[in-house]
Amino acid sequence: MSISAFFRLFQPKDKVFYTLFEKVSDNLLSMSKYMVEGMSSKENITEAFFKKIEDYEHANDKLTHNIFIELGKNFITPFDREDIHQLAASLDDIADFMYASVKYALLYKSPYLKSFATFSKYIDDSVVELQKAIYNLRDFKKPKEVLESCVEINRIENVADDLFSKEMGALFESKIEVIEIIKIKNIIEYLEDVTDKCEDAANIIESILVKYS
Amino acid sequence: MSISAFFRLFQPKDKVFYTLFEKVSDNLLSMSKYMVEGMSSKENITEAFFKKIEDYEHANDKLTHNIFIELGKNFITPFDREDIHQLAASLDDIADFMYASVKYALLYKSPYLKSFATFSKYIDDSVVELQKAIYNLRDFKKPKEVLESCVEINRIENVADDLFSKEMGALFESKIEVIEIIKIKNIIEYLEDVTDKCEDAANIIESILVKYS
Amino acid sequence: MSISAFFRLFQPKDKVFYTLFEKVSDNLLSMSKYMVEGMSSKENITEAFFKKIEDYEHANDKLTHNIFIELGKNFITPFDREDIHQLAASLDDIADFMYASVKYALLYKSPYLKSFATFSKYIDDSVVELQKAIYNLRDFKKPKEVLESCVEINRIENVADDLFSKEMGALFESKIEVIEIIKIKNIIEYLEDVTDKCEDAANIIESILVKYS
């Protein structure tokens, strides 16, 4: 048993962090669902769509900030303070990269690829699993379920990575203008980055689980 | 109270690390001030300017190395050894990315954008706050001031991020040759990265504060 | 003495992790040696070469997974569970980026640069030192030798970084088509990233050493 695990036995568990992380995951899921919709066609990538994505990103910032404030107030945390900090930061990255994908798709007036929709679907699939993992993390009562979600998030990241290289190979073979290729490359890099960030969060959750099991 | 905080009560505090981190922040500030000057016009981006930036980068490497040597010698540290390691590494990243920005601006013979100067100013503003945060971190006596600086560094990073996307949008609308756009994109990415690295350092400082408060 | 080091005195040391990390380093070394061969000429960058690199990457994934499984089973670890997690993840990154370098060199049908071979040699040199560091890490009996390897890995990363900027400077001066420059840039970025990931692993090893010395 680790030292931390040993001390945890004598600690009442503060529930506020579980609740806040659950709220973050709820917000991320609303955001990814909304993104799937907006990224489904070129016409849907509008200023209004971006503004709402920005709202979700701001909501995430506020929740992240609340987690940090609670860390300042609470002596007792359900798991190490550094882990709470790291997990909150990694979930914030997910919102930031979803935001960046949409921002640059709009700003660059990039040609639209069908894979923008496919990537968004992969992102949403990852966030669904992430939300499950976070809900199942409560009180460390469902370690098996948490791990299953983490494995699935890793699998989706591999699929997204393959799609990325397939798309890039096709782009370089295409007759699309170089300047447009640069724009598209940038956007699908951001989209693929979201699945990487989901994987990072899953890895942090997995390492928290490892620490306390 | 965290376990670490509990044990800290019984530990004399070794001051050498505070002093070394202060020296690193002094060096970073001289470097950023010098960079503001050199990046203020295309004519100033010379071999001589780059050499001096390189000297600052080397000075930072030496200080970072000294911190690691002290870590090897000292049983007692003012905060966790891993945190000292991480903070030193993140401050080193700041010097590395300032160095890279100047190196590629010179090497690529890139067209000059006014925003090179603006980004450099943002970097300097961040480093001013970082130095304040590091000086105020000593003995954890000024947590409020430290946090204020961290918040400000986060704000500047957002502003730099907005400038980056504005510039990229304008570049893609411009008639500038693609090859030159690639160069400029690369340089402003490095410049924007410096503010990201400042944010990373601020986040580490914040998490150290959280741990011991 | 750190709290962890104090508790370690009373802990029998579980050897399985040393053995697994040694196996990972053996696999990485076979992979880097094979990569040096394949990257030595354009003709050698074939589907068959890539498939074998993919095999090495999968082998690394399995070993990494085994480390995580052992973490779940073992109460006693030779060093902190988080450090084991972090080191395993960083070694996995090395395999991932070697894989990406070869994958994109093949997929993009990129023009061949002699420096592809030079970068591969630098990568192999780094992995040689990494393997040494990992073998010498066992029971913390050879801290001096471990540190020497870490210093050497840092040195190689600097050399690779210089080669990268030299190559990029030359590319932008050349008459090569922009689309081909983008491809080459991408590939040498991945190659240079491998040496960065080796440096990350070396830094983690160094910080483990610092923690327990």
Side-chain angles (χ1 to χ4, degrees):
Chain A
M1 192 187 296
S2 70
I3 306 176
S4 315
F6 180 76
F7 275 78
R8 270 184 64 249
L9 294 177
F10 303 98
Q11 291 185 3
K13 283 160 206 92
D14 196 295
K15 304 296 184 198
V16 67
F17 294 102
Y18 289 123
T19 306
L20 280 166
F21 278 122
E22 287 162 8
K23 278 188 188 169
V24 171
S25 74
D26 294 346
N27 184 64
L28 286 177
L29 192 56
S30 306
M31 189 175 182
S32 66
K33 295 248 166 282
Y34 188 72
M35 188 170 152
V36 167
E37 229 179 273
M39 295 294 258
S40 63
S41 75
K42 189 174 176 65
E43 295 69 46
N44 288 352
I45 304 173
T46 61
E47 197 67 37
F49 166 56
F50 171 61
K51 281 289 163 231
K52 189 143 180 206
I53 287 288
E54 199 170 31
D55 290 345
Y56 282 119
E57 198 269 331
H58 288 336
N60 213 83
D61 280 348
K62 269 187 199 162
L63 287 167
T64 307
H65 191 233
N66 285 348
I67 292 175
F68 293 158
I69 287 178
E70 288 298 328
L71 269 180
K73 288 196 298 193
N74 281 274
F75 286 148
I76 309 295
T77 56
F79 37 95
D80 278 356
R81 307 171 85 75
E82 306 92 284
D83 292 327
I84 291 175
H85 208 274
Q86 250 198 306
L87 181 57
S90 86
L91 296 172
D92 202 38
D93 280 349
I94 297 171
D96 286 351
F97 278 78
M98 280 202 259
Y99 169 80
S101 310
V102 173
K103 179 179 177 180
Y104 287 99
L106 182 71
L107 179 77
Y108 288 174
K109 304 184 183 79
S110 150
Y112 179 79
L113 293 194
K114 274 186 198 164
S115 64
F116 290 2
T118 318
F119 277 116
S120 301
K121 190 68 187 62
Y122 291 155
I123 290 167
D124 186 50
D125 292 344
S126 290
V127 175
V128 165
E129 292 301 323
L130 200 57
Q131 194 209 30
K132 275 198 231 169
I134 285 170
Y135 273 82
N136 285 327
L137 193 64
R138 195 178 265 265
D139 299 329
F140 297 92
K141 280 181 184 154
K142 295 186 179 171
K144 205 176 132 276
E145 286 81 354
V146 173
L147 273 181
E148 277 167 10
S149 291
C150 292
V151 169
E152 178 60 11
I153 292 166
N154 274 271
R155 192 194 63 77
I156 297 169
E157 194 278 327
N158 283 331
V159 176
D161 198 51
D162 286 346
L163 177 60
F164 178 81
S165 55
K166 211 178 120 261
E167 287 295 88
M168 283 310 303
L171 270 176
F172 282 136
E173 302 270 335
S174 75
K175 299 284 163 235
I176 296 175
E177 265 189 278
V178 182
I179 192 85
E180 304 301 322
I181 291 180
I182 295 175
K183 291 179 189 175
I184 294 172
K185 182 169 186 281
N186 225 205
I187 293 161
I188 63 177
E189 273 170 355
Y190 277 122
L191 287 165
E192 206 273 323
D193 279 348
V194 183
T195 63
D196 285 343
K197 296 299 168 185
C198 288
E199 194 185 19
D200 288 348
N203 290 343
I204 292 167
I205 290 173
E206 215 183 306
S207 83
I208 291 172
L209 212 67
V210 155
K211 227 162 144 177
Y212 295 114
S213 63
Chain B
M1 191 186 299
S2 71
I3 306 176
S4 315
F6 180 76
F7 275 77
R8 269 184 65 249
L9 293 176
F10 303 98
Q11 292 183 3
K13 283 161 207 93
D14 195 294
K15 304 296 184 199
V16 66
F17 294 101
Y18 289 123
T19 305
L20 279 167
F21 278 122
E22 286 163 8
K23 278 189 187 169
V24 172
S25 74
D26 293 347
N27 183 63
L28 286 177
L29 191 56
S30 306
M31 189 175 181
S32 66
K33 293 249 167 282
Y34 187 72
M35 188 169 153
V36 168
E37 230 179 89
M39 295 292 259
S40 62
S41 75
K42 190 176 176 63
E43 294 69 45
N44 287 351
I45 304 173
T46 61
E47 196 68 37
F49 166 56
F50 171 61
K51 282 290 163 229
K52 188 142 181 206
I53 287 288
E54 200 170 31
D55 290 344
Y56 282 119
E57 198 268 331
H58 288 337
N60 212 82
D61 280 348
K62 271 187 198 163
L63 287 167
T64 306
H65 190 235
N66 286 348
I67 292 175
F68 293 158
I69 287 178
E70 288 298 329
L71 268 180
K73 290 196 296 192
N74 281 274
F75 285 150
I76 310 295
T77 56
F79 38 94
D80 278 356
R81 309 172 84 75
E82 305 92 283
D83 292 327
I84 291 175
H85 207 275
Q86 249 197 307
L87 181 57
S90 86
L91 296 173
D92 202 39
D93 281 348
I94 297 172
D96 286 352
F97 278 78
M98 281 201 258
Y99 168 80
S101 311
V102 173
K103 178 179 176 180
Y104 287 99
L106 181 70
L107 179 79
Y108 287 173
K109 304 184 182 80
S110 150
Y112 180 80
L113 292 194
K114 273 186 199 163
S115 63
F116 289 2
T118 319
F119 277 115
S120 302
K121 191 67 189 64
Y122 291 156
I123 289 168
D124 186 51
D125 291 345
S126 289
V127 175
V128 165
E129 291 301 323
L130 200 57
Q131 194 209 30
K132 275 198 231 168
I134 285 171
Y135 272 83
N136 284 327
L137 192 64
R138 197 179 263 265
D139 299 331
F140 297 92
K141 280 182 182 153
K142 296 186 179 171
K144 206 175 131 278
E145 286 81 354
V146 174
L147 273 181
E148 277 167 10
S149 291
C150 293
V151 169
E152 178 60 10
I153 292 165
N154 274 273
R155 192 194 61 78
I156 296 169
E157 194 279 327
N158 283 332
V159 175
D161 199 50
D162 286 345
L163 177 59
F164 177 81
S165 56
K166 212 178 118 262
E167 287 294 89
M168 283 310 303
L171 271 177
F172 281 135
E173 302 271 335
S174 74
K175 298 284 162 233
I176 296 175
E177 264 189 279
V178 182
I179 191 86
E180 304 301 324
I181 291 180
I182 294 175
K183 292 178 189 176
I184 294 171
K185 182 169 185 281
N186 224 206
I187 293 161
I188 64 177
E189 273 170 355
Y190 277 122
L191 287 164
E192 207 274 322
D193 279 348
V194 183
T195 63
D196 285 343
K197 296 299 167 183
C198 288
E199 195 185 19
D200 288 348
N203 289 344
I204 293 168
I205 290 173
E206 216 183 305
S207 84
I208 291 172
L209 211 67
V210 155
K211 226 162 146 179
Y212 296 115
S213 64
Chain C
M1 193 187 297
S2 70
I3 306 177
S4 316
F6 180 76
F7 275 77
R8 269 185 65 250
L9 292 177
F10 304 98
Q11 291 185 3
K13 282 160 206 94
D14 195 295
K15 303 297 184 198
V16 66
F17 294 102
Y18 289 124
T19 305
L20 280 166
F21 279 123
E22 286 163 7
K23 278 189 187 168
V24 172
S25 74
D26 293 346
N27 183 63
L28 286 177
L29 191 56
S30 305
M31 189 175 181
S32 66
K33 293 250 168 281
Y34 187 72
M35 188 170 153
V36 167
E37 229 179 273
M39 295 294 257
S40 62
S41 75
K42 190 175 176 64
E43 294 70 45
N44 289 350
I45 304 173
T46 61
E47 196 68 37
F49 167 56
F50 171 61
K51 281 290 164 230
K52 188 141 180 208
I53 286 288
E54 200 170 31
D55 290 344
Y56 282 120
E57 198 269 331
H58 287 338
N60 212 83
D61 279 349
K62 271 186 197 162
L63 287 166
T64 307
H65 190 235
N66 286 348
I67 292 175
F68 293 157
I69 287 178
E70 288 299 328
L71 269 180
K73 290 196 296 193
N74 282 274
F75 284 152
I76 310 296
T77 56
F79 37 94
D80 278 356
R81 308 171 84 74
E82 305 92 285
D83 292 326
I84 291 175
H85 207 276
Q86 249 197 308
L87 181 56
S90 86
L91 296 173
D92 202 40
D93 281 347
I94 297 172
D96 286 351
F97 278 79
M98 281 202 258
Y99 169 80
S101 309
V102 173
K103 179 180 177 179
Y104 287 100
L106 182 71
L107 179 78
Y108 287 174
K109 303 184 183 77
S110 151
Y112 180 79
L113 292 194
K114 274 186 199 164
S115 63
F116 289 2
T118 319
F119 277 115
S120 300
K121 191 65 188 65
Y122 291 156
I123 289 168
D124 185 51
D125 292 344
S126 290
V127 175
V128 165
E129 292 300 324
L130 200 58
Q131 193 209 30
K132 276 198 230 169
I134 285 171
Y135 274 81
N136 285 326
L137 193 64
R138 196 178 264 265
D139 299 330
F140 297 93
K141 280 181 184 154
K142 296 187 179 171
K144 205 176 132 277
E145 285 81 354
V146 174
L147 273 181
E148 277 167 10
S149 291
C150 293
V151 169
E152 178 61 10
I153 292 165
N154 274 271
R155 192 194 62 78
I156 296 169
E157 195 277 329
N158 282 331
V159 175
D161 198 51
D162 286 346
L163 177 59
F164 178 81
S165 56
K166 212 179 120 260
E167 287 294 90
M168 284 310 304
L171 271 176
F172 281 137
E173 301 271 335
S174 74
K175 298 285 163 232
I176 296 175
E177 264 189 279
V178 182
I179 191 87
E180 303 302 322
I181 291 180
I182 294 175
K183 292 179 190 177
I184 295 172
K185 182 169 185 280
N186 225 206
I187 293 161
I188 64 176
E189 273 170 355
Y190 277 122
L191 287 165
E192 208 274 322
D193 278 349
V194 183
T195 63
D196 285 344
K197 295 300 168 184
C198 289
E199 194 185 18
D200 287 349
N203 289 343
I204 292 168
I205 290 173
E206 215 182 305
S207 84
I208 291 172
L209 211 68
V210 154
K211 226 162 146 178
Y212 295 115
S213 62

